[in-house]
């Protein structure tokens, strides 16, 4: 089986990871890589893992629609995907589309791409919305106890500056980040609604950027409707016992432990006699929070084993 995968918006950090993962995948081939800024540059210059002769190209929506790829991954900023989807629906309706942006995470007809919670809806899916990185970690940190939560749950997150993208800003400025942490999006962050939909809870989400490159951690806390002292950790171990990319541990989950891996680590799971619950989750925002989760979803869409091209043991 050979599946031709096209990338639109391949220049950024996640695009580079996608190219490397496709290059290592035994069933996927890179059909094209679209980037206006890098047009004409060999793909291998950005991602040495790719050994082919392909160069980056400028990809207008109609070009993508006529390319004949089996799947197209859209790595565009929020609000920019519509012309490409329209062209694909008109010119290549059978093409699988995976959107890395937030445009379709609550859209009718799109499967939400968090395999550990939504696997059945992803098998054979033709339209997939990849979750946000924070939303992935937070949902995995809350889902096993969501039915016990009373009132709002609070999620505090800290991410490396790669999560702010390649565009220069204060959140990617080494001088502004030195010996510092930058809280942002403290009210109405898009991931707050995404997490709330995923676990069916009222969520208070507060993210920050810290002076490291990749990885993130969240601390999720809530009050429980009934005494679950000692039972919360057992719920997590049962929920994720068969999941290849989720690891439950005793200690708090830290970004350094997941950087460069496809894993989400969940730890420091506790609830006390006052019915207060807390758990931490950490993942690589560019991999399990984006690119390797996209590969999981594409594997499911093409009905391949979910771990194809993603070795959990290597993580």
């Amino acid at each position: 089986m050979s599946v031709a995968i096209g990338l639109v918006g391949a220049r950024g950090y996640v695009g580079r990871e996608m190219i490397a993962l496709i290059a290592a995948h035994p069933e996927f081939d890179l059909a094209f890589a679209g980037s206006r800024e890098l047009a004409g540059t060999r793909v291998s210059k950005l991602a040495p893992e790719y050994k082919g002769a392909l160069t980056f190209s400028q990809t207008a929506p109609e070009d993508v629609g006529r390319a004949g790829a089996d799947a197209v991954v859209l790595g565009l900023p929020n609000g920019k995907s519509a012309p490409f989807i329209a062209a694909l629906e008109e010119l290549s309706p059978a093409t699988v589309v995976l959107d890395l942006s937030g445009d379709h995470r609550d859209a009718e007809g799109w499967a939400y791409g968090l395999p550990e919670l939504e696997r059945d809806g992803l098998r054979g899916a033709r339209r997939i919305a990849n979750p946000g990185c924070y939303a992935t970690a937070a949902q995995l940190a809350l889902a096993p106890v969501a039915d016990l939560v009373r009132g709002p749950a609070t999620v505090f997150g800290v991410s490396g500056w790669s999560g702010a993208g390649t565009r220069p800003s204060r959140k990617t400025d080494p001088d502004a980040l030195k010996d510092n942490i930058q809280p942002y999006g403290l009210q109405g962050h898009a991931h707050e609604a995404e997490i709330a939909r995923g676990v069916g809870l009222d969520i208070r989400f507060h993210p920050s950027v810290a002076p490291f490159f990749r990885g993130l951690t969240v601390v999720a806390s809530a009050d429980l409707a009934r005494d679950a002292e000692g039972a919360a950790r057992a719920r997590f171990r049962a929920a994720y016992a068969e999941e290849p990319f989720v690891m439950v541990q005793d200690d708090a989950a830290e970004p350094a432990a997941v950087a460069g891996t496809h894993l989400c680590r969940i730890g420091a799971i506790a609830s006390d006699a006052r019915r207060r619950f807390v758990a931490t989750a950490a993942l690589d925002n560019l991999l399990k929070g984006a690119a390797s989760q996209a590969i999981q979803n594409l594997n499911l869409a093409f009905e391949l084993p979910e771990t194809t091209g993603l070795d959990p043991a290597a993580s």
Side-chain angles (χ1 to χ4, degrees), residues 3-297:
V3 178
I5 309 289
L7 303 181
V8 180
R11 180 184 72 90
Y13 296 127
V14 175
R16 184 251 179 272
E17 299 290 350
M18 286 295 305
I19 293 167
L21 291 173
I22 291 169
H25 198 288
E27 308 292 349
F28 292 169
D29 294 313
L30 187 63
F32 62 84
S35 170
R36 287 181 300 175
E37 294 88 345
L38 296 178
T41 303
R42 291 176 72 98
V43 173
S44 58
K45 185 172 182 179
L46 179 70
E49 297 88 346
Y50 176 74
K51 305 303 182 185
L54 198 67
T55 59
F56 288 101
S57 58
Q58 296 195 47
T59 48
E62 58 271 21
D63 298 327
V64 174
R66 295 191 182 100
D70 298 305
V72 170
V73 176
L74 300 176
L76 299 166
N78 291 342
K80 301 295 185 181
S81 64
F84 292 91
I85 293 166
L88 285 161
E89 289 179 348
E90 178 184 357
L91 300 170
S92 186
T95 297
V96 172
V97 181
L98 185 144
D99 188 1
L100 292 167
S101 81
D103 288 356
H104 298 95
R105 291 172 185 162
D106 189 32
E108 185 177 354
W110 288 73
Y112 185 67
L114 183 48
E116 289 78 11
L117 304 183
E118 303 286 346
R119 184 169 285 115
D120 289 345
L122 290 161
R123 291 191 175 96
R126 314 309 290 175
R127 298 289 183 266
I128 302 169
N130 228 53
C133 53
Y134 272 128
T136 296
Q139 288 177 77
L140 293 176
L142 287 167
V145 294
D147 63 313
L148 296 179
V149 171
R150 177 186 60 193
T154 298
V155 178
F156 172 70
V158 180
S159 172
W161 55 264
S162 62
T166 57
R167 190 181 300 276
S169 71
R170 191 168 182 271
K171 293 198 289 288
T172 61
D173 181 351
D175 291 333
L177 285 169
K178 185 178 180 181
D179 300 325
N180 193 23
I181 185 170
Q182 295 181 23
Y184 73 98
L186 299 181
Q187 289 189 321
H189 193 289
H191 286 332
E192 186 172 84
E194 183 181 351
I195 299 162
R197 288 193 302 269
V199 293
L201 297 173
D202 187 9
I203 298 294
R204 306 289 185 267
F205 175 55
H206 309 296
S208 297
V209 177
F212 56 90
F213 176 66
R214 65 192 304 155
L216 64 81
T217 189
V218 300
V219 180
S221 60
D223 291 334
L224 301 181
R226 65 176 186 269
D227 187 2
E229 187 175 9
R233 189 175 301 173
R235 279 189 171 223
F236 276 80
R237 294 198 181 279
Y240 300 128
E242 303 299 323
E243 292 296 340
F245 300 112
V246 179
M247 177 179 291
V248 178
Q249 60 188 47
D250 292 333
D251 298 334
E254 300 177 356
V258 293
T261 81
H262 309 308
L263 298 177
C264 178
R265 290 177 177 262
I266 302 175
I269 303 157
S271 58
D272 62 19
R274 288 178 287 178
R275 302 179 183 177
R276 299 184 307 180
F277 164 80
V278 65
T280 65
L283 52 76
D284 188 316
N285 57 303
L286 303 179
L287 290 173
K288 178 56 178 167
S292 60
Q293 184 141 264
I295 297 295
Q296 276 184 267
N297 290 326

